[in-house]
Amino acid sequence: MEAVVNEARKRLEIALAPQKPPTLEEVLAEIGRRGVLSGSLDRVVEGYKNYVSYVTGKVLEVFKLSDREVSALQSFSHDIITILEKVRQESGQKLNVIKREIDKGYIPNSVKVVEYKGHVSFYVYLRRHSAYSHFPDLLKVSRDELEMFQIGWRASDETAIGNLAAMGTTQPWQVFAWLAARPGEVKLEVGTLILTRRGPSLMFFLTSLDWEQKWDKSVAIKHAVKYIQQGEYRPLLTWWLGDGSVKWSFVEKRRYKLRIAVGDEIKRALLSEIASYAERDQRYVYIKGGKALFKSLIEAAGRYGELLEILGPHKWLYLKTVYKPRKKRRKPTYAGGRRIKGLIDPIPGVVMNLLIVFNEGGALWATKYLPTREEAENLATALRAYGLEPRVVKQGPGFTVYLPTSELRKIASEKVRRAIIQFLEEKLKHATSQRHKTIIERLIKKFN
């Protein structure tokens, strides 16, 4: 029980840590990498509000909408942002109360603890903040064509409330992606906050008031399989957007694997009906097809793909890696010179070394070598509590924890920024090649 209490305390510290709002570039980068934002409650909420406004503006630029549809989309955006602000206000108060109780050594009844296969989740239930809104028809295709996309969503994340289609998600991009397939009147709700190791996660729940639920999950999967066999990939696309599992190391090594999370019973059925395979003791099925399948899914998206381009989620960008030229892998080239050392303390009690990496466009890292994985993971956890996203890599007999450039720029401390700029300016004085000088000058601009 003590371990669970300590874990809850760590996650609360992350949620309540003071952090500045993310830039739009940081928001889009995180959505494009994992589909969600990390960090404190304030950072996550501000980031999502920024994202909703951005998506709304881009949709109005790309899609030709009537004045009435423009007004509807703007009202929809306003409704989500209003709900997010209300959730922030209630959650901030509630999390502070919960933390005071956890500091006494116990988890209050207002937090539901769910343990599953060694993982623990903490659910905080809020008042249901809701709004009735309208999402316009962006795709303007026939109901039969919309049904192709609806089948895939039902095969994955979609559910039913009474006889109506509904959807729950912690990823705001899925709110827009799902409603594009279920346009019309909708009830928006946020009533649950989940404390994760990366920060608080909000559960959005949507009920379509204009669409009845036609299928249960197993029937939708059978329909999707039938269409895949016929070479119709739209249901598979939205099935992937719902239950697909991104593993970037696959595509970085040019292994184009489409991996979808399924239950054991469904996995057995799929293996016998479509070209697929599964690895032992995994809850995934891999749909065969490789690079050609990725391209088929992108082509099948059609108008829907234009919306996914705006949303920029990790699952869509994962598919689009088939069009990226392969980069030659080289060992990192580091800045030399023992006489110039850079030390910073990104968080209290932690000192890290600054290191310039000259590969490709160049980067600045803060690094710390630790002899054991446990020590490295403990340091990474401490950094996450301050809203940072460290990387942990194996190095020789031990491990290195490092903060890349994008994470270093999040550190608001003037002392740290001065130390970084001083380090870079000293390195610039002793740089021996024009390329190195250009990279260092670019890094200095980033931190000024």
Side-chain angles (χ1 to χ4, degrees):
M1 183 61 183
E2 184 179 351
V4 174
V5 171
N6 288 336
E7 182 62 28
R9 184 181 291 110
K10 288 179 185 177
R11 298 191 189 187
L12 277 166
E13 286 171 354
I14 295 172
L16 294 170
Q19 273 188 289
K20 62 181 181 181
T23 64
L24 178 59
E25 289 73 20
E26 289 170 337
V27 170
L28 296 179
E30 289 187 58
I31 296 289
R33 191 67 185 176
R34 296 193 305 112
V36 293
L37 300 185
S38 59
S40 69
L41 175 66
D42 285 343
R43 183 179 191 275
V44 168
V45 170
E46 281 301 316
Y48 284 152
K49 286 165 64 177
N50 201 358
Y51 179 70
V52 169
S53 296
Y54 164 80
V55 168
T56 302
K58 294 298 289 185
V59 167
L60 293 177
E61 286 179 21
V62 172
F63 291 87
K64 293 181 179 178
L65 303 178
S66 67
D67 291 344
R68 185 176 180 181
E69 289 171 328
V70 168
S71 178
L73 184 62
Q74 290 172 335
S75 293
F76 174 83
S77 172
H78 174 76
D79 289 338
I80 293 184
I81 290 172
T82 300
I83 288 174
L84 285 169
E85 188 54 43
K86 288 180 179 177
V87 167
R88 192 227 311 255
Q89 291 173 9
E90 182 191 351
S91 299
Q93 296 169 358
K94 196 159 192 172
L95 292 181
N96 276 299
V97 171
I98 291 170
K99 187 175 185 304
R100 286 196 292 271
E101 296 185 45
I102 285 178
D103 286 341
K104 296 175 183 176
Y106 68 93
I107 294 177
N109 293 332
S110 55
V111 179
K112 182 180 180 181
V113 181
V114 178
E115 295 185 72
Y116 179 71
K117 292 187 176 180
H119 298 282
V120 60
S121 298
F122 301 92
Y123 291 81
V124 178
Y125 296 108
L126 312 170
R127 293 192 300 272
R128 282 198 170 271
H129 300 282
S130 62
Y132 289 89
S133 197
H134 181 93
F135 192 85
D137 181 7
L138 302 181
L139 305 184
K140 293 182 169 43
V141 298
S142 68
R143 290 181 74 90
D144 287 343
E145 289 179 278
L146 276 180
E147 192 170 280
M148 293 295 103
F149 297 118
Q150 293 169 0
I151 287 170
W153 282 117
R154 182 59 177 125
S156 56
D157 290 339
E158 192 177 284
T159 184
I161 295 295
N163 65 335
L164 297 175
M167 170 80 164
T169 179
T170 57
Q171 303 178 60
W173 68 267
Q174 287 189 336
V175 171
F176 289 89
W178 182 73
L179 283 171
R182 299 279 192 185
E185 299 300 312
V186 59
K187 183 181 181 183
L188 308 169
E189 294 179 275
V190 176
T192 305
L193 183 146
I194 308 165
L195 297 173
T196 77
R197 287 179 299 172
R198 294 177 180 271
S201 184
L202 306 176
M203 175 61 75
F204 297 82
F205 199 82
L206 318 166
T207 305
S208 173
L209 306 179
D210 288 342
W211 293 89
E212 291 188 2
Q213 184 56 268
K214 293 174 63 174
W215 317 281
D216 64 25
K217 188 179 179 76
S218 60
V219 170
I221 290 173
K222 287 178 182 177
H223 283 320
V225 168
K226 178 190 71 175
Y227 284 117
I228 294 168
Q229 292 169 338
Q230 296 172 359
E232 168 58 74
Y233 292 108
R234 282 174 290 187
L236 178 58
L237 172 64
T238 44
W239 188 1
W240 159 255
L241 293 177
D243 280 349
S245 174
V246 166
K247 191 168 183 179
W248 289 105
S249 61
F250 287 162
V251 294
E252 285 164 1
K253 297 173 183 176
R254 292 302 187 261
R255 297 171 184 168
Y256 297 102
K257 297 183 179 183
L258 198 76
R259 185 172 73 163
I260 295 179
V262 294
D264 289 337
E265 186 177 334
I266 293 172
K267 183 168 68 175
R268 287 191 294 270
L270 288 175
L271 293 175
S272 65
E273 293 182 26
I274 57 174
S276 58
Y277 66 95
E279 294 180 356
R280 195 171 186 178
D281 299 325
Q282 282 199 0
R283 60 187 186 94
Y284 303 108
V285 65
Y286 294 79
I287 311 296
K288 290 183 178 180
K291 195 171 185 178
L293 178 60
F294 277 44
K295 289 184 176 180
S296 294
L297 289 170
I298 293 169
E299 292 165 4
R303 187 80 165 148
Y304 200 53
E306 295 181 39
L307 175 62
L308 295 174
E309 279 293 305
I310 293 170
L311 298 175
H314 58 313
K315 294 181 183 180
W316 179 246
L317 299 184
Y318 183 84
L319 295 178
K320 293 193 69 185
T321 55
V322 295
Y323 296 119
K324 285 189 175 180
R326 186 166 191 170
K327 293 179 181 177
K328 291 183 179 179
R329 287 184 170 270
R330 297 182 299 170
K331 289 186 177 180
T333 304
Y334 303 116
R338 290 187 179 181
R339 58 190 162 179
I340 308 167
K341 286 194 173 182
L343 298 175
I344 63 166
D345 47 350
I347 64 173
V350 173
V351 177
M352 302 181 79
N353 297 294
L354 290 171
L355 181 68
I356 302 176
V357 182
F358 285 120
N359 274 12
E360 298 176 7
L364 180 67
W365 296 350
T367 70
K368 189 171 183 66
Y369 176 83
L370 294 157
T372 68
R373 178 179 287 278
E374 182 181 3
E375 288 175 286
E377 290 296 343
N378 286 341
L379 173 56
T381 299
L383 291 166
R384 290 189 190 105
Y386 283 80
L388 300 170
E389 284 296 317
R391 318 284 198 268
V392 179
V393 294
K394 187 81 172 76
Q395 184 176 358
F399 295 83
T400 290
V401 179
Y402 76 93
L403 295 169
T405 309
S406 59
E407 295 304 308
L408 285 176
R409 291 180 69 193
K410 292 180 185 177
I411 301 170
S413 166
E414 188 61 31
K415 175 186 172 185
V416 170
R417 285 186 175 271
R418 279 201 309 269
I420 289 172
I421 291 170
Q422 184 178 1
F423 168 76
L424 291 170
E425 288 175 343
E426 284 296 312
K427 284 291 186 182
L428 182 60
K429 290 178 186 177
H430 298 275
T432 56
S433 75
Q434 185 56 48
R435 179 174 174 273
H436 286 190
K437 289 180 181 178
T438 301
I439 286 173
I440 296 171
E441 286 170 350
R442 190 181 302 135
L443 289 169
I444 289 172
K445 287 181 181 178
K446 286 185 177 181
F447 288 94
N448 266 326

